[in-house]
Amino acid sequence: MSSVLEDPTLERHFKGHRDTITSVDLNPNMKQIATGSMDSCLMVWNMKAQMRAYRFVGHKDAVMSVQFSPSGHLVASASRDKTVRLWVPSVKGESTVFKAHTGTVRSVNFSSDGQSLVTASDDKTVKVWAVHRQRFLFSLNQHINWVRCAKFSPDGRLIVSAGDDKTIKIWDKTSRDCIHSFYEHGGYVSYVDFHPSGTCIAAASSDNTVKVWDIRMNKLLQHYQVHTAVVNGLSFHPSGNYLITASNDSTLKILDLLEGRLLYTLHGHQGPATCVAFSRAGDYFASGGSDEQVMVWKTNFDAADYEEVLRSQQRATSVNGAVQSGERQSRSSLRASSRSRRAESSEGVDFSDIPLSHVEKRSVSQTRPSQVPKDTSVSSPTSRQQQPQDNGVPAALASTLEHIVCQLDVLTQTVAILEQRLTLTEDKLRECIDNQQMITLQLRTSK
C-alpha cells in the first residue's frame, strides 16, 4: 500500500499576473489553466511547455472569479466592474460581455450541463442566467450583505450561496425558494461548494475554519480548525474523499474526509494562498496566491487507489458489515479519531453516518522539500501506513473495542463543544451584567 498515498508534488509554476491571483480553474481536458487577478486580466496557461500563455484584456477592474465550462470550450469571468464575460480560450481571445449586477461580481459558476450560469455579487443578490445569449432568468434575494460565492449542485437542482452576512443558503432552483440557511460561522463565508455526491456542502470562512454539512438532514458533520488565518477557498476531490483548502496563512491543507483528519500541509506560496481547485479527474490541482504565482501540483492519489484502500480496510476490520477505521490519532494533536462508517459506491462517501468531527491545527514534523520553488514543501502529520500489531487479541474483539473507543472519542468531543458554547454564554451574560451595573451607576451619578 505504500504506493497508494504519496506526497503531492509541485509539477509546474507560472508567473505572469501583475497582482494577486483571485481565482483558478483547470480545463476538463487538463490542457489549460485559467486564472483571474486583481490586475484586471484573465490568463489562460497551456500545460504544454512549448505553448505560450494567453492574456485576455477586457475587464475594467479586478477579475474576481473564473471557470471553464464543462466542455472546456468557454471560460466565464466575473469582475469588480460589475460584468461577466464569456471567453473562447484561444489565441484570438474573443468574448461577449453582459452587465450582470449593480455591484462587484464575486463569483461565477456553470451548471453541470453547461446551459446555465449562477453569479453572486456585492449587490446582495444571486442571479441565474442562460448561457445562450446571456439571458437573465431570475434572482435570489434573501442575503442581507455581500454574496461572495454561489454554486450549482452536481444535478443542477439546487444552488448554494454564502457571504458577508455569515450565512449559507440552500435554494431550490425550480421553486426559487430558500429551503435552508446555516448560521454557524463566526465570520463571513468566503467560499462554499457541493460535495460531488450533492448530499453535502463545505464552507470556508474568515473565522479560520472549514465546516461540512449534510444538506439532507441539515446537520453539521465536520468542523476543521487547521488554519491560523482566513480560509479563502476550497475544492473537493472528485472521489469526494478529500478536501483541499487555501488560506491567508500561506498554506494549502488536504483533509481526509473519511477519517476526519488533516492529511497534508503544503507550503509554497509567499503570502496568502487565495484560491485552489482540483482538476476534473482529480490527478492534479492548482493554486494561486498574493505572490502572483500559479502552482500546479500532482495529487499522487486518485479515486481508484482510494477505493482499494477502503476495500482493504473493510476486509481487515469489518464487523457485521460496519467498517471501522483502523488508524487512531493522538488526541492532543487531532481530536477527531477514526469512526465507524460505511463505504458507499464509487461516487463517494456516505456522510450521513459520520458523526461530528473537530480537527484542530497542529504542528507537523515531516517535511520534504520539492524542487521548485526552493521554499515549497509538503508536511504530513501522520505516517502513511500503520503497521499491524499481533498482540493475540481476536480481530472481531479488537474491532469492537476500537468502535467503542471511537464512540467515546465522539462523546468527548461533543462535551468539549458544549463546554465551549457554555463558556461563550457565560461570557455574554457576564458582559450584560457589567453593562447593566455601569448603566445603574451612571444613573445614580446623574441624580
Side-chain angles (χ1 to χ4, degrees):
M1 281 298 171
S2 60
S3 63
V4 173
L5 288 175
E6 300 178 5
D7 291 351
T9 52
L10 182 65
E11 292 286 299
R12 297 190 65 185
H13 66 115
F14 306 100
K15 192 163 184 179
H17 282 293
R18 301 186 181 97
D19 206 336
T20 297
I21 294 167
T22 56
S23 182
V24 63
D25 193 34
L26 296 90
N27 191 298
N29 59 24
M30 263 309 295
K31 292 180 180 179
Q32 295 176 318
I33 296 173
T35 54
S37 169
M38 298 296 286
D39 65 7
S40 306
C41 292
L42 166 75
M43 292 194 71
V44 175
W45 313 83
N46 289 291
M47 288 298 290
K48 290 185 178 179
Q50 65 271 24
M51 296 185 68
R52 60 188 289 268
Y54 306 137
R55 181 190 297 275
F56 297 149
V57 179
H59 284 294
K60 303 297 189 294
D61 208 332
V63 178
M64 307 303 293
S65 176
V66 298
Q67 193 193 27
F68 279 102
S69 63
S71 67
H73 296 149
L74 292 174
V75 179
S77 60
S79 172
R80 191 185 279 170
D81 67 10
K82 307 174 186 177
T83 69
V84 170
R85 284 181 179 263
L86 294 176
W87 308 81
V88 178
S90 64
V91 65
K92 292 183 180 180
E94 299 169 337
S95 71
T96 59
V97 60
F98 60 99
K99 176 74 177 296
H101 290 270
T102 58
T104 296
V105 190
R106 292 191 176 268
S107 171
V108 63
N109 178 246
F110 281 97
S111 59
S112 58
D113 62 6
Q115 300 301 306
S116 302
L117 281 172
V118 62
T119 57
S121 170
D122 285 3
D123 66 11
K124 307 176 188 177
T125 68
V126 174
K127 293 184 178 181
V128 178
W129 312 79
V131 172
H132 182 60
R133 297 184 179 178
Q134 298 83 60
R135 182 168 56 89
F136 171 74
L137 297 178
F138 59 88
S139 180
L140 306 172
N141 302 299
Q142 290 189 26
H143 282 285
I144 58 173
N145 208 328
W146 295 355
V147 189
R148 290 183 178 262
C149 188
K151 300 275 187 177
F152 283 110
S153 62
D155 61 11
R157 293 187 297 177
L158 300 176
I159 294 170
V160 63
S161 61
D164 283 26
D165 60 7
K166 304 180 184 180
T167 71
I168 299 163
K169 296 185 183 294
I170 307 292
W171 309 82
D172 184 292
K173 184 187 172 188
T174 303
S175 68
R176 307 177 191 178
D177 293 330
C178 178
I179 57 180
H180 193 75
S181 294
F182 298 98
Y183 299 91
E184 297 181 51
H185 276 292
Y188 69 77
V189 183
S190 51
Y191 201 91
V192 67
D193 203 0
F194 280 95
H195 184 270
S197 68
T199 61
C200 302
I201 57 169
S205 173
S206 64
D207 65 8
N208 307 351
T209 69
V210 174
K211 297 177 188 285
V212 180
W213 286 271
D214 183 329
I215 62 171
R216 297 166 297 183
M217 306 187 59
N218 300 325
K219 170 184 170 185
L220 180 64
L221 295 179
Q222 295 179 335
H223 174 105
Y224 294 94
Q225 288 182 304
V226 293
H227 286 289
T228 58
V230 174
V231 188
N232 295 308
L234 53 79
S235 179
F236 280 104
H237 188 267
S239 69
N241 300 328
Y242 305 98
L243 184 70
I244 189 167
T245 58
S247 169
N248 277 0
D249 64 14
S250 81
T251 67
L252 307 176
K253 306 272 187 180
I254 298 179
L255 306 171
D256 183 336
L257 297 176
L258 295 182
E259 296 293 330
R261 66 185 176 104
L262 173 63
L263 194 60
Y264 297 105
T265 295
L266 306 176
H267 303 270
H269 289 286
Q270 299 298 306
T274 52
C275 51
V276 67
F278 274 112
S279 65
R280 302 301 195 273
D283 48 350
Y284 289 90
F285 59 92
S287 60
S290 63
D291 56 5
E292 303 166 14
Q293 288 198 93
V294 182
M295 295 186 176
V296 183
W297 307 75
K298 187 169 176 58
T299 306
N300 292 328
F301 55 78
D302 58 30
D305 285 337
Y306 207 85
E307 285 301 318
E308 178 56 35
V309 174
L310 289 177
R311 285 193 292 270
S312 175
Q313 289 181 346
Q314 188 170 15
R315 286 193 297 268
T317 60
S318 179
V319 179
N320 297 326
V323 179
Q324 316 298 327
S325 65
E327 189 171 28
R328 291 290 314 283
Q329 305 298 321
S330 168
R331 191 176 300 175
S332 62
S333 59
L334 275 176
R335 289 190 178 179
S337 299
S338 314
R339 292 172 302 280
S340 170
R341 66 205 59 181
R342 294 194 302 266
E344 208 184 32
S345 65
S346 59
E347 183 183 34
V349 61
D350 182 357
F351 280 94
S352 64
D353 290 340
I354 303 181
L356 174 67
S357 77
H358 183 157
V359 180
E360 295 196 349
K361 55 181 178 286
R362 56 165 291 157
S363 59
V364 289
S365 57
Q366 299 179 5
T367 302
R368 183 179 59 77
S370 297
Q371 297 296 323
V372 222
K374 292 180 180 179
D375 50 3
T376 301
S377 64
V378 180
S379 301
S380 170
T382 57
S383 167
R384 293 294 163 270
Q385 289 179 286
Q386 186 178 26
Q387 299 298 326
Q389 296 181 358
D390 184 9
N391 54 9
V393 179
L397 177 58
S399 295
T400 302
L401 291 172
E402 177 70 16
H403 176 59
I404 293 171
V405 171
C406 290
Q407 296 305 311
L408 287 173
D409 283 339
V410 173
L411 289 172
T412 300
Q413 182 54 43
T414 303
V415 170
I417 292 171
L418 291 173
E419 287 176 347
Q420 290 175 0
R421 292 178 178 175
L422 181 60
T423 300
L424 289 172
T425 303
E426 289 174 345
D427 290 344
K428 289 181 179 178
L429 181 60
R430 189 177 296 111
E431 185 179 345
C432 290
I433 293 172
D434 291 343
N435 290 337
Q436 184 63 41
Q437 289 175 344
M438 187 176 298
I439 292 170
T440 303
L441 182 61
Q442 288 174 347
L443 289 173
R444 288 176 180 174
T445 304
S446 62
K447 290 179 179 179

